[in-house]
Amino acid sequence: MTPRDLTFVIGGARSGKSAHAERLASDSALPVTYIATARVSGDAEFAARIAHHRARRPAHWSLVEADSDLAGAIAQHDAPGQCLLIDCLTLWLANLLCPADGVAPPLSQYHAQSAELEAALTEARGKIIVVSNEIGLGVVPLGEATRLYVDELGRINQRVAALSSAATLMVAGLPLALKGAGHA
């Protein structure tokens, strides 16, 4: 059996995690499909962030927008000799827990989608790079919805890190190997 080629890149906001993940994808020398999880909205500042990410990516990379069905996007585009770059779990979770229509689904629905994501990552045959934010280093947030979000992101980050063959923490643009290549 071929070992799983799953790399997890985690860090705070503006830590350099997306740029690092993009370098890893480029360095793989494989065809890359970028799976974007951001939900495009009428927010001009957020649209500028998305435009910045788009401008930085090579034009020959494929783009898939998967704001909620991330497991389906992985299953559809994964193949041996391919690289999928998923950016990011943080926005995917926000899309699930805070949908555009404002009607939060039951938590059991999110847990089912989270299990589907884990299964898709476990069954992947190509190279997968997953980006996420580490948001649990601060104080316990006020408000039930915010605590739920922080807790669920921490849980999914732990599960993806456990599945990963390599994990990197980005701090101030510097990669710190947590697991796999470069980790003693």
Side-chain angles (χ1 to χ4, degrees):
M1 179 175 174
T2 306
R4 183 179 307 120
D5 190 356
L6 175 59
T7 299
F8 188 48
V9 180
I10 190 166
R14 295 292 174 252
S15 63
K17 61 192 174 297
S18 293
H20 180 73
E22 291 164 6
R23 280 190 299 278
L24 292 174
S26 288
D27 290 350
S28 76
L30 298 170
V32 176
T33 299
Y34 185 99
I35 301 179
T37 62
R39 181 184 331 143
V40 180
S41 65
D43 181 337
E45 184 272 337
F46 194 65
R49 286 175 181 253
I50 292 171
H52 174 75
H53 275 252
R54 284 182 180 149
R56 192 174 59 205
R57 291 192 302 263
H60 64 276
W61 286 7
S62 299
L63 172 66
V64 173
E65 293 179 352
D67 65 351
S68 61
D69 187 15
L70 185 51
I74 293 168
Q76 183 177 357
H77 298 281
D78 171 54
Q82 299 286 318
C83 177
L84 300 183
L85 170 52
I86 301 164
D87 198 355
C88 69
L89 291 183
T90 316
L91 294 173
W92 172 74
L93 178 62
N95 294 336
L96 294 179
L97 296 181
C98 307
D101 65 7
V103 179
L107 199 53
S108 61
Q109 182 178 332
Y110 157 71
H111 287 149
Q113 287 180 285
S114 178
E116 291 170 8
L117 171 62
E118 288 179 68
L121 292 173
T122 299
E123 296 164 9
R125 298 164 294 145
K127 179 175 187 58
I128 310 284
I129 302 167
V130 179
V131 176
S132 190
N133 283 60
E134 175 53 75
I135 63 172
L137 295 173
V139 299
V140 175
L142 295 176
E144 182 180 352
T146 306
R147 280 191 302 275
L148 173 66
Y149 179 80
V150 170
D151 289 349
E152 290 302 325
L153 184 60
R155 289 181 184 111
I156 192 70
N157 284 345
Q158 288 182 49
R159 291 193 302 273
V160 172
L163 290 173
S164 298
S165 50
T168 300
L169 173 65
M170 295 299 298
V171 179
L174 300 173
L176 174 62
L178 301 174
K179 179 180 183 181
H183 184 261

